[in-house]
Amino acid sequence: MSEPPPGVTVLDGPVSLARLHGEACITCGATPPRLEPVGHVQIRGEERSWPVAACPAHAHHVGSVPCRYCPAPDPDVVIRVAASASGPDHPVYAHLACAEARGEKPLYKVGPGAGEEAAR
Ligand SMILES: [Zn+2]
Ligand SMILES: [Zn+2]
């Protein structure tokens, strides 16, 4: 098994085909009218990568958003939703451990596997 190329996020499977095909949000499985491309993912153990999309709330998550408190990628919770003057509110991401270390209560989990609870 080779290292994924830069920009490709490796996910633990299984991930539904709708998500891999960009027909549903890769993070939560929602199917809003507009999905934004968020790069490529690869299922752990598989060679091929998929161009995927995400709903507006998760469009900046996959492989690109740093933790609020540390430089490591792939935060796994949202600690708050920051209001934005232009456009939709944007979630503030952090690692669960980083948030708890600072007494922050996570709003909800993100990332592969957390989708079903995040979908409403
Ligand atoms: Zn989503
Ligand atoms: Zn962190």
Side-chain angles (χ1 to χ4, degrees), residues 18-86:
R19 295 189 196 196
L20 290 179
H21 287 168
E23 295 160 2
C25 173
I26 186 65
T27 301
C28 71
T31 55
R34 194 169 61 102
L35 286 163
E36 297 183 29
V38 288
H40 289 69
V41 301
Q42 198 171 36
I43 304 303
R44 195 179 303 283
E46 293 183 8
E47 287 296 324
R48 73 168 294 181
S49 62
W50 307 78
V52 294
C55 70
H58 297 122
H60 304 291
H61 171 60
V62 177
S64 64
V65 174
C67 172
R68 173 80 169 77
Y69 301 113
C70 77
D74 296 329
D76 42 25
V77 296
V78 167
I79 51 168
R80 75 178 76 94
V81 177
S84 159
S86 58

